[in-house]
Amino acid sequence: MFDELLINHSAPTLAGIKIANIFTYHYNSKKELCEKIVFYNKLLGKIGINLFVLKDYDSKVIVYVYNKEKLKNYIESEEVSKFLCDCGYNSHNIYKNIQILSERMKNCKNFPHEIGIFLGYPLIDICGFINNYGKNCLYSGYWKVYHNKNDAIKTFESYNRCRLFYTNTFLEGKNILEIIESYSNYSNNIN
């Protein structure tokens, strides 16, 4: 079940075309959950992908799957760094920033708006969402789009193709590293 959720919800991150994804996992035991997180951090850490439990509640967790280098580069960009600083993220250390996000998620019912940064959403769309109270978007897909609708639609389509490839390849019986390699070969052949 964990494997399916990881592949289904995080394929674009695993493929290196998205900064991060999240998914909710219902666990039977904390021990089993910890074993899964440790296993995948060890396995995927070799290719720069990390997993982190953002929130644990009612035998469910929100698992954050991120590309360490892509996230670091994004949050260190001048505009994004200023936005995060304005939101109270005063560190340039991605692990400290993820920890702050996790604490905020534990203490509030809704997702804080800045989670969009940690998922790699364009800052202009995050600001559009905040300024419009989540209304008046041009398009809604992986996030609500307020600018560059056509580019966003192309991005969403690439995420969907990736997700479909990962899911179908998983159903064929390949393991996660085989799927990552197969997708890399597949995407190189179509570009």
Side-chain angles (χ1 to χ4, degrees):
M1 174 79 166
F2 189 94
D3 304 345
E4 289 177 60
L5 290 169
L6 175 63
I7 287 166
N8 191 37
H9 292 281
S10 303
T13 299
L14 297 171
I17 60 174
K18 190 170 186 301
I19 290 174
N21 290 94
I22 58 174
F23 65 91
T24 301
Y25 175 66
H26 299 262
Y27 61 86
N28 294 319
S29 77
K30 289 244 186 189
K31 182 178 186 278
E32 172 257 338
L33 169 67
C34 290
E35 288 171 353
K36 289 284 187 186
I37 299 294
V38 167
F39 172 79
Y40 279 109
N41 272 327
K42 187 174 182 180
L43 183 71
L44 299 174
K46 297 171 189 171
I47 59 168
I49 304 292
N50 294 66
L51 282 72
F52 183 85
V53 173
L54 284 176
K55 186 173 183 176
D56 185 345
Y57 62 103
D58 303 328
S59 297
K60 294 182 278 192
V61 287
I62 297 174
V63 179
Y64 178 55
V65 181
Y66 65 99
N67 181 304
K68 180 181 168 184
E69 194 62 33
K70 287 180 184 278
L71 177 64
K72 182 179 182 297
N73 290 338
Y74 188 53
I75 68 173
E76 286 181 353
S77 68
E78 189 175 333
E79 288 181 331
V80 172
S81 179
K82 182 183 179 330
F83 176 83
L84 284 177
C85 188
D86 291 345
C87 291
Y89 293 78
N90 297 318
S91 176
H92 290 286
N93 181 303
I94 64 169
Y95 302 112
K96 287 182 182 176
N97 285 328
I98 293 169
Q99 192 61 48
I100 292 169
L101 175 66
S102 178
E103 289 301 318
R104 289 186 177 185
M105 289 182 65
K106 289 174 187 171
N107 296 320
C108 66
K109 193 173 184 177
N110 298 319
F111 286 104
H113 295 307
E114 67 271 14
I115 194 169
I117 294 295
F118 292 90
L119 294 171
Y121 301 169
L123 179 58
I124 196 165
D125 288 329
I126 295 167
C127 293
F129 182 88
I130 293 167
N131 295 335
N132 288 279
Y133 304 99
K135 299 179 181 179
N136 306 318
C137 66
L138 301 173
Y139 190 81
S140 185
Y142 283 78
W143 63 83
K144 288 192 176 182
V145 178
Y146 291 87
H147 296 75
N148 304 321
K149 175 183 166 185
N150 292 337
D151 289 344
I153 289 171
K154 287 178 188 172
T155 298
F156 298 162
E157 288 170 352
S158 74
Y159 293 169
N160 289 336
R161 281 190 305 275
C162 176
R163 183 177 175 193
L164 183 63
F165 182 93
Y166 267 64
T167 302
N168 288 339
T169 308
F170 177 73
L171 292 173
E172 291 171 3
K174 291 194 177 182
N175 69 43
I176 197 161
L177 292 178
E178 290 172 327
I179 297 168
I180 291 168
E181 184 178 338
S182 294
Y183 183 79
S184 178
N185 294 334
Y186 165 78
S187 64
N188 287 338
N189 288 333
I190 63 169
N191 290 332

